[in-house]
Amino acid sequence: MYQLFFRLVFRHMDPERAHHLAFGWIRLAARVPVLRTFVAALLAPRHRALRTEAFGLRMHGPFGLAAGFDKNAVGIDGMAMLGFDHVEIGTVTAQPQPGNPKKRLFRLVADRALINRMGFNNEGSAAVAARLAARRAGRPAFRTTVGVNIGKTKVVPEAEAVADYVTSTERLATHADYLVVNVSSPNTPGLRDLQAVDHLRPLLSAVREAADRTVAGRRVPLLVKIAPDLADEDVDAVADLAVELGLDGIIATNTTIARDSLGLASGPALTAETGGLSGAPLRARSLEVLRRLYARVGDRITLVGVGGIETADDAWERILAGATLIQGYSAFIYEGPFWSRRIHRGLAARLAASPYATLTDAVGAEAREADEPHKADKENA
């Protein structure tokens, strides 16, 4: 039914307008107690075997909504109603900003992909913090894990970036179940330069200190989100830095600026649009980065796999490659409201058919099993 609706209605609408319309319906449904209970029972059935713990947080499962969908924390309950086990809001900047000029979101339907150059359009960290505080003070419709993704305000020069991130941290850390430093969006000039270890070390250290100073009584988990376009040696450098600083996690990966290497079927009028590409064409590189990170950090740091995840097979592949948590966004546009339900049912079925007793046992199993012949060879040498 959704596929037909997408072809007849959404496909012919401006993508950003369609997003706001659909998100509005989701939020409206979540405000009606009887309706949200019915929708959650239908779309968010719980699978006991999928219960997940990551950086000290317990979740119903490993599958969450990636940052970018709910930039201002206005629809957390709605997305939980649809079955997402955690919701990452943002990216939020210290100052409110409108983002880049429209048109800035494009569908590549033939590739099941999106290109966006939104530019961190959001209401600013003070407004988002107030909204999160109000939600927590009231009675949230659903208890779900809320991650907060923070980025640099566009008008802030690189020399003042650390202070900008610290401002957002001081406002938002109290309300975050976990905090993500986004240095990998291609749509804020100079932002990806902050992924260089010399810039990243003081930034992450300052955010860690600000979170610890602001939040008493608990340690807010801190993650960094990296780009798929990093060279392999830079991926290794970020992994080593994360271990050195005691980071809680790495999210792999953000959108890509690559085009020619992805074998895109969409025409040049679309593929030439500037911005970050997400969706199915990102799958291979995102998985490659995840595998490289796991080979480097093992289970010392929690890895979150995102980028090109469409099916339960994709999700299961990320778990075997080392991801404790997985996230999606772009496929939701093409798959519709039953997407999360299908992912969960498929993951539960794959776990039941696997040799692993728990989902935790499956995390990184691919790498561990690949190492076993090498260990045996060393022992027999």
Side-chain angles (χ1 to χ4, degrees):
M1 179 66 73
Y2 176 80
Q3 303 298 332
L4 179 62
F5 185 81
F6 178 85
R7 287 197 300 271
L8 295 178
V9 180
F10 278 163
R11 186 169 181 173
H12 302 288
M13 291 178 64
D14 172 76
E16 191 169 350
R17 180 169 174 246
H19 168 83
H20 288 302
L21 181 63
F23 198 16
W25 290 340
I26 293 167
R27 291 157 55 195
L28 182 62
R31 293 192 192 106
V32 182
V34 174
L35 181 58
R36 71 176 177 238
T37 300
F38 172 78
V39 173
L42 179 66
L43 301 182
R46 303 303 183 189
H47 298 268
R48 193 179 190 88
L50 297 183
R51 289 180 180 176
T52 300
E53 184 169 328
F55 27 82
L57 303 172
R58 294 181 179 178
M59 307 178 202
H60 291 294
F63 187 50
L65 180 70
F69 193 94
D70 185 359
K71 296 177 182 296
N72 293 304
V74 296
I76 294 168
D77 288 326
M79 304 318 293
M81 175 187 71
L82 296 186
F84 291 100
D85 301 311
H86 65 275
V87 176
E88 190 171 306
I89 62 104
T91 294
V92 183
T93 54
Q95 301 176 32
Q97 55 186 30
N100 292 322
K102 299 178 181 179
K103 187 174 181 180
R104 55 192 181 181
L105 180 63
F106 308 87
R107 295 189 206 96
L108 282 66
V109 177
D111 298 292
R112 296 180 64 83
L114 301 172
I115 291 175
N116 91 83
R117 51 172 179 263
M118 303 299 291
F120 289 168
N121 55 309
N122 74 104
E123 296 174 6
S125 56
V128 173
R131 186 170 291 119
L132 289 171
R135 179 179 182 272
R136 183 166 286 185
R139 285 193 171 184
F142 298 95
R143 295 180 61 184
T144 191
T145 298
V146 178
V148 178
N149 184 302
I150 59 173
K152 185 181 82 67
T153 305
K154 184 177 181 179
V155 298
V156 169
E158 186 178 313
E160 299 172 20
V162 170
D164 191 66
Y165 277 92
V166 166
T167 295
S168 291
T169 302
E170 291 172 342
R171 291 171 176 167
L172 291 164
T174 301
H175 314 293
D177 291 316
Y178 69 87
L179 199 62
V180 181
V181 171
N182 185 351
V183 288
S184 50
S185 169
N187 299 318
T188 295
L191 185 72
R192 287 191 168 192
D193 295 341
L194 298 176
Q195 291 179 113
V197 168
D198 289 346
H199 293 116
L200 193 56
R201 180 182 282 105
L203 171 59
L204 293 174
S205 297
V207 170
R208 176 75 273 162
E209 290 169 7
D212 291 342
R213 183 175 64 250
T214 304
V215 183
R218 72 180 177 100
R219 183 181 188 277
V220 180
L222 179 63
L223 295 77
V224 64
K225 187 168 186 175
I226 65 172
D229 307 312
L230 283 176
D232 287 346
E233 57 269 25
D234 293 325
V235 173
D236 294 344
V238 172
D240 293 344
L241 178 64
V243 172
E244 174 194 329
L245 297 180
L247 249 59
D248 299 275
I250 302 173
I251 301 181
T253 62
N254 212 320
T255 59
T256 181
I257 58 173
R259 297 291 188 273
D260 294 342
S261 62
L262 300 178
L264 300 175
S266 300
L270 277 175
T271 58
E273 293 289 351
T274 59
L277 184 144
S278 60
L282 185 55
R283 181 186 300 120
R285 177 55 183 168
S286 182
L287 178 60
E288 183 181 7
V289 172
L290 175 66
R291 284 172 171 155
R292 190 169 191 93
L293 286 169
Y294 189 79
R296 198 81 176 183
V297 304
D299 58 5
R300 291 177 291 175
I301 289 178
T302 298
L303 300 179
V304 183
V306 57
I309 294 174
E310 291 192 289
T311 67
D313 283 332
D314 297 330
W316 182 242
E317 187 175 40
R318 301 299 169 96
I319 290 169
L320 295 179
T324 298
L325 299 179
I326 47 179
Q327 294 180 340
Y329 174 175
S330 298
F332 182 48
I333 309 304
Y334 295 105
E335 293 293 320
F338 282 86
W339 181 45
S340 183
R341 173 188 169 104
R342 287 194 291 269
I343 294 286
H344 283 98
R345 292 181 68 177
L347 277 178
R350 282 152 184 77
L351 178 61
S354 78
Y356 313 113
T358 67
L359 206 59
T360 301
D361 294 336
V363 173
E366 171 189 85
R368 291 194 303 273
E369 290 165 7
D371 282 343
E372 285 177 3
H374 299 295
K375 291 179 181 178
D377 290 341
K378 288 181 179 179
E379 290 171 0
N380 294 329

